[in-house]
Amino acid sequence: MARIPFNFQSLFVKSMISFVAIIVLLASFNILSFAFFKTTIEREIIHNNRLSLVNAADRYEKHLAIVKTLLFKLYQDENVVSFGRQLAAKDGSGVNYLKPAEIRDQLRRDVNNPFLYLDNILVFYNSASYAVDKNGTGDADRLFSLFYAGEPYDIRYWQRQFALPYTSELHPSRPFAIVSSDTQSKRLLPMTVKLPGYNHLVIGLLDAERLYESFYSKDGSDFAIVHPNGRALFDSADPQSSGKRIVPDGAPEFVASDNVYTFYEKSAETGLTYTTSVPYASIAAQIDRLRWTLAALSVLSIAIAAAASVVFSRKIDAPVKRIIDSLRQRSPEVVRSGIYEFKLINEISRELIRERNDIHDDLQTKTSLLTDFGYLSKLKKIATGSGEWKEPIDRPEPFRVVLFQFRFRNAMLQAAGVSADGLVYAARECVDLTMSGTFEHSRTLLTDGSQLVSVVYGEAADGELGRALGKLKTIFDRDRDHYLVTASVSSSFPAGSDFNKAYMQAMDRLKQEKLLGDMQLLWEDVPPQSHFVFTAEQEQEFYVNMREGNGAACGQLLFRMLEQMRKKEAFRSQFRIFALSAAAKIVKIAEMAKVDPSRTERLNAMLGELEECWTFDDYVRFFDRFVPPAAEAVRRKREEKDPVVEFFAHYLESHYAEDLSLDTVADRMNMSSNYLSAYIKEKTGTNFSDHLNGIRIREAKDMLVRTSLSIQEIGEKIGYRNVTSFIRMFKKITGLTPGDYRKRSALGSEAGLQA
């Protein structure tokens, strides 16, 4: 064998050079990364902690200045000042108690600003022990002891503030027990403002945790704010900390002591000192993380090297693919490549392809009959139960295909101890015997576990084939309690080459079988039937009754539709589609009603029974078993008392004609709109707007029948200010416009009177 000479353009040399370059690249990167890590990382980590503290202090200072300005503006608000003077006068008849509502609205607007991080603002009138906050007004002692209670912030603490010589002050953060719709605890940072000569105090309660999370929150370090007098105003590590903190003179950037780095930043404007303590172990952990980062970078560099290898491999793969394509297509294509081995392989393959093409052309010219024979021999032998069918399928005479489809009642078969395979095998013998006794050369094949195919040759009249199938019908109908048979007959085709067309025609006709209890014979194509579905009004009626748990009404709707389908001779497949759709809707409504999951699982399990519904009575019996338990489960779920849902429903029934919104109802129920919406959706399966629109359209239907009011007047009476919106919603729910509904109701009434 000739050896390939050594060549610098060979695959081996190019691969070695590429991978050596990749190895050198990776080694260089690791060496440089290690050198950088040893010299600069620790210094950068300390600088980063210091910079984080400076940024946090700057953000705190700016935010406290904004809040202070807001509180002073509120302190001098005309409503706040005038109401305080009225209380100080101690003349009950002269106090305007409507002003606190305006003050409360202003407080809500300020507190609801998410960028201020305010949990509440309190206006405390010392002379009358009266307080106003975002939730309302009332006795100050009750507010500070029950609704916003925190140590040491009782009413005596705030009364003492009037005697202290300051205009604004930041107080230590403490956990507050807050009672609104429920009881919760929050860590708040109070800020007070006051001016000489006034008898009220404004207290802003900042959410200390949210401020900390937004302005600093850094893993592995403790953050604190220290008052100029040394008292801790906030400590992330200790919510109750109120002791003194020692701040070094000269405000150093950081102090290292006892394996802890403590960083300091003092504000020149407020005098507050911001500190953060980072254990050396935390810095070491950061260094470890960076070490792992470097390891990840090493992995990334390897990935880059792998990508480079992929690119190089593609350069190898492209000519290989072209060579393979040329071999598959038997085309002596010239493959251009810079690799010597590929050039050599391409030259050899081109030579082999040329030789193969010459041989193929010679065989194609001289032995085409052999190819045809091999092709026909594969098509003209059909396996049967007793060996091979020796006669060719393209006999020179007309033929028909008869397709027998068996549908088994598995429960009956199991009770009788009979297998479906045994029945089909016996049926094949019976069909084969009957057909072969009437038509010469006929054969019956078993295509799968439930289908037989008979091929009948000759100029057979429809009468002869009909009599043969009639005999089979008499035999098969005796066992119709165990299985049902449908036979579809193709048209007569002139030659065996049309066998596929005949078989497909018989398969298509099989889809036209009706819902009968005995054997069916399908001879002709039937025009496609229309789809059988509920009308929009029936769909709405079915949905409403099922949601109310009215199983009898739902059963009547289903029975009427099944009866209509039977009268119009719907196909078996159409019955199946309708039944599956209706059952799925019932299960969906049960799931939306939040019934017991075990009941839903039983309903889903019952859907499998549709597989053995072969007659009209089978479908009626199925829905008689399926609908009542589903409706009963929905009804029981609806009867479960829920005071929130009952109040909600009663309120909508009483105020549907008003300009209602979710926010209005939620405010009336002392809930947030988001919570109320989610609660009603979870408990009833329907959202707020659907509840409201359902009530309004129900009343509109009643008015359209009872009164002669115009469409616009009815829409206004039920709460729609825009007649177009009313008409659109009415049609969406009922499927008809209000005018059409009124006409149809009038026609129905006249027909009833005539009857």
Side-chain angles (χ1 to χ4, degrees):
M1 179 182 296
R3 297 183 61 186
I4 300 174
F6 181 83
N7 193 319
F8 282 103
Q9 297 297 321
S10 68
L11 178 63
F12 173 79
V13 174
K14 287 194 172 185
S15 299
M16 286 299 297
I17 293 174
S18 299
F19 284 110
V20 168
I22 292 172
I23 293 171
V24 171
L25 174 65
L26 290 175
S28 301
F29 181 81
N30 286 331
I31 292 172
L32 292 175
S33 298
F34 182 76
F36 174 79
F37 172 78
K38 294 296 290 183
T39 55
T40 62
I41 295 300
E42 185 171 356
R43 185 170 62 251
E44 287 298 323
I45 290 175
I46 293 174
H47 176 71
N48 179 63
N49 279 278
R50 169 65 185 166
L51 185 61
S52 297
L53 179 63
V54 171
N55 290 336
D58 181 63
R59 297 180 70 181
Y60 265 100
E61 288 293 310
K62 290 178 179 178
H63 189 78
L64 293 176
I66 292 171
V67 173
K68 183 190 296 184
T69 302
L70 172 70
L71 297 182
F72 269 118
K73 181 179 178 182
L74 179 64
Y75 189 90
Q76 296 175 306
D77 183 85
E78 180 181 353
N79 290 329
V80 175
V81 174
S82 62
F83 185 68
R85 290 173 179 168
Q86 293 173 10
L87 291 175
K90 297 184 179 180
D91 181 7
S93 61
V95 177
N96 182 5
Y97 284 99
L98 295 178
K99 284 190 177 294
E102 299 176 3
I103 299 173
R104 181 197 62 191
D105 292 341
Q106 177 63 39
L107 297 181
R108 285 182 177 177
R109 286 193 294 272
D110 293 336
V111 170
N112 289 336
N113 186 342
F115 299 105
L116 295 178
Y117 302 103
L118 282 166
D119 185 77
N120 204 346
I121 300 177
L122 314 175
V123 181
F124 172 42
Y125 295 97
N126 188 33
S127 59
S129 189
Y130 192 84
V132 182
D133 72 337
K134 68 177 183 180
N135 296 315
T137 62
D139 179 66
D141 189 17
R142 179 179 174 81
L143 174 66
F144 293 126
S145 63
L146 292 179
F147 295 100
Y148 268 86
E151 291 293 337
Y153 299 116
D154 56 7
I155 189 170
R156 291 182 296 278
Y157 180 89
W158 300 117
Q159 289 172 341
R160 289 196 297 271
Q161 303 305 310
F162 287 92
L164 299 178
Y166 68 79
T167 56
S168 67
E169 183 65 34
L170 200 62
H171 304 266
S173 64
R174 290 291 184 274
F176 278 73
I178 303 171
V179 178
S180 55
S181 59
D182 56 357
T183 303
Q184 56 181 325
S185 177
K186 285 187 178 180
R187 189 176 178 187
L188 303 179
L189 180 65
M191 175 184 282
T192 57
V193 297
K194 63 186 182 67
L195 292 174
Y198 290 87
N199 193 39
H200 62 278
L201 180 72
V202 175
I203 308 166
L205 298 177
L206 290 156
D207 193 325
E209 295 293 346
R210 289 177 58 201
L211 282 173
Y212 171 64
E213 292 173 359
S214 299
F215 292 169
Y216 184 74
S217 188
K218 187 174 182 181
D219 294 338
S221 59
D222 297 334
F223 177 78
I225 305 174
V226 183
H227 194 275
N229 62 13
R231 183 177 55 181
L233 298 178
F234 175 80
D235 189 341
S236 64
D238 185 4
Q240 296 288 355
S241 176
S242 59
K244 295 289 185 176
R245 297 295 180 90
I246 299 175
V247 178
D249 296 333
E253 292 187 350
F254 71 92
V255 173
S257 177
D258 296 331
N259 290 325
V260 175
Y261 284 81
T262 305
F263 300 86
Y264 299 92
E265 177 65 18
K266 185 172 183 179
S267 170
E269 296 181 2
T270 62
L272 299 176
T273 300
Y274 299 87
T275 73
T276 179
S277 299
V278 182
Y280 180 76
S282 176
I283 295 178
Q286 295 182 56
I287 295 174
D288 287 339
R289 284 196 295 271
L290 288 173
R291 183 182 291 112
W292 284 108
T293 302
L294 291 177
L297 291 175
S298 298
V299 173
L300 179 62
S301 66
I302 293 173
I304 294 172
S309 300
V310 170
V311 173
F312 181 74
S313 298
R314 285 182 177 176
K315 290 184 178 181
I316 299 175
D317 185 58
V320 171
K321 284 185 176 180
R322 288 197 294 271
I323 292 172
I324 293 174
D325 289 340
S326 68
L327 291 172
R328 287 177 175 172
Q329 299 171 7
R330 279 75 175 180
S331 173
E333 178 185 356
V334 177
V335 178
R336 301 187 181 278
S337 175
I339 299 176
Y340 173 79
E341 288 84 355
F342 289 162
K343 291 181 179 179
L344 182 59
I345 293 172
N346 182 235
E347 290 178 2
I348 296 173
S349 64
R350 288 171 60 203
E351 189 66 30
L352 292 173
I353 290 172
R354 279 194 292 267
E355 293 178 3
R356 184 264 174 201
N357 288 343
D358 292 341
I359 297 172
H360 177 74
D361 292 339
D362 184 67
L363 289 174
Q364 189 70 22
T365 303
K366 297 179 180 179
T367 61
S368 59
L369 293 176
L370 180 62
T371 303
D372 291 342
F373 178 80
Y375 176 74
L376 292 175
S377 66
K378 294 178 181 179
L379 294 180
K380 297 175 183 178
K381 292 181 180 179
I382 300 176
T384 66
S386 58
E388 290 187 340
W389 186 0
K390 302 302 181 181
E391 291 80 8
I393 201 171
D394 54 349
R395 293 178 60 85
E397 54 183 321
F399 75 96
R400 288 189 177 204
V401 169
V402 183
L403 185 61
F404 297 88
Q405 180 67 54
F406 288 78
R407 305 186 187 279
F408 300 100
R409 299 184 184 275
N410 293 322
M412 298 297 293
L413 292 181
Q414 291 176 2
V418 180
S419 69
D421 292 340
L423 281 176
V424 174
Y425 180 79
R428 191 197 71 81
E429 295 297 328
C430 179
V431 172
D432 193 24
L433 181 62
T434 303
M435 291 297 184
S436 62
T438 306
F439 306 103
E440 189 178 3
H441 305 302
S442 70
R443 290 293 185 274
T444 300
L445 314 174
L446 175 61
T447 59
D448 60 25
S450 61
Q451 194 177 86
L452 301 177
V453 177
S454 289
V455 182
V456 179
Y457 287 99
E459 296 287 350
D462 289 348
E464 294 181 37
L465 184 56
R467 283 190 291 274
L469 292 175
K471 293 179 183 178
L472 292 173
K473 174 176 170 61
T474 302
I475 296 171
F476 290 147
D477 281 349
R478 295 171 185 169
D479 296 325
R480 59 189 174 190
D481 290 337
H482 294 80
Y483 60 86
L484 294 175
V485 183
T486 301
S488 62
V489 185
S490 74
S491 303
S492 179
F493 285 84
S497 58
D498 294 323
F499 177 78
N500 188 55
K501 294 180 182 178
Y503 178 76
M504 294 307 297
Q505 185 185 72
M507 285 291 292
D508 290 339
R509 288 180 178 176
L510 191 63
K511 299 175 183 177
Q512 301 166 6
E513 60 181 331
K514 302 296 192 300
L515 204 63
L516 302 178
D518 53 7
M519 180 175 174
Q520 300 180 54
L521 303 177
L522 306 175
W523 293 85
E524 298 178 350
D525 293 326
V526 178
Q529 298 277 355
S530 60
H531 294 291
F532 293 93
V533 295
F534 283 142
T535 64
E537 189 171 4
Q538 289 173 327
E539 186 80 23
Q540 179 66 17
E541 182 181 356
F542 181 80
Y543 179 76
V544 170
N545 280 306
M546 195 64 207
R547 278 190 52 207
E548 296 293 333
N550 190 350
C554 293
Q556 290 175 3
L557 281 170
L558 291 169
F559 179 77
R560 286 200 297 269
M561 177 57 76
L562 292 174
E563 187 64 33
Q564 178 185 356
M565 294 173 69
R566 180 166 68 170
K567 290 179 180 178
K568 293 188 176 181
E569 297 185 344
F571 297 155
R572 187 190 302 276
S573 59
Q574 292 174 314
F575 273 94
R576 179 175 175 78
I577 291 171
F578 172 77
L580 282 172
S581 175
K585 289 174 185 174
I586 293 172
V587 174
K588 183 66 176 177
I589 294 171
E591 291 174 346
M592 291 172 59
K594 308 293 184 182
V595 302
D596 186 356
S598 62
R599 292 179 177 268
T600 307
E601 290 176 4
R602 286 197 293 271
L603 292 175
N604 280 313
M606 289 181 67
L607 295 179
E609 298 179 13
L610 288 172
E611 297 291 337
E612 296 193 20
C613 288
W614 308 121
T615 66
F616 178 82
D617 292 337
D618 288 342
Y619 282 104
V620 171
R621 283 192 293 268
F622 170 77
F623 282 113
D624 284 343
R625 294 192 310 273
F626 188 79
V627 175
E632 177 66 14
V634 173
R635 185 184 62 79
R636 288 187 178 182
K637 189 66 178 178
R638 287 182 59 85
E639 289 176 353
E640 293 179 2
K641 298 297 183 181
D642 189 310
V644 174
V645 175
E646 285 187 348
F647 182 87
F648 172 81
H650 178 73
Y651 191 83
L652 261 61
E653 291 283 354
S654 305
H655 300 80
Y656 67 86
E658 301 174 7
D659 187 13
L660 281 184
S661 67
L662 180 61
D663 290 335
T664 304
V665 180
D667 189 57
R668 178 68 180 82
M669 299 177 70
N670 293 324
M671 294 182 178
S672 69
S673 57
N674 289 338
Y675 178 79
L676 178 61
S677 176
Y679 189 90
I680 295 300
K681 178 69 174 179
E682 178 185 358
K683 294 297 183 181
T684 67
T686 306
N687 58 32
F688 167 79
S689 59
D690 288 344
H691 274 292
L692 180 59
N693 288 321
I695 294 172
R696 287 175 170 175
I697 299 305
R698 184 195 68 202
E699 295 297 322
K701 289 164 69 176
D702 184 58
M703 291 182 186
L704 287 168
V705 175
R706 287 189 304 100
T707 70
S708 59
L709 295 174
S710 67
I711 304 299
Q712 183 170 357
E713 289 173 334
I714 291 175
E716 292 176 352
K717 282 184 174 295
I718 63 174
Y720 291 102
R721 303 297 177 255
N722 187 316
V723 68
T724 304
S725 300
F726 167 52
I727 294 173
R728 186 187 304 114
M729 185 56 64
F730 192 95
K731 186 172 183 180
K732 177 181 178 183
I733 293 178
T734 66
L736 300 170
T737 63
D740 291 340
Y741 183 85
R742 173 173 273 173
K743 291 177 183 177
R744 181 171 293 188
S745 299
L747 290 174
S749 299
E750 291 177 5
L753 291 173
Q754 292 174 2

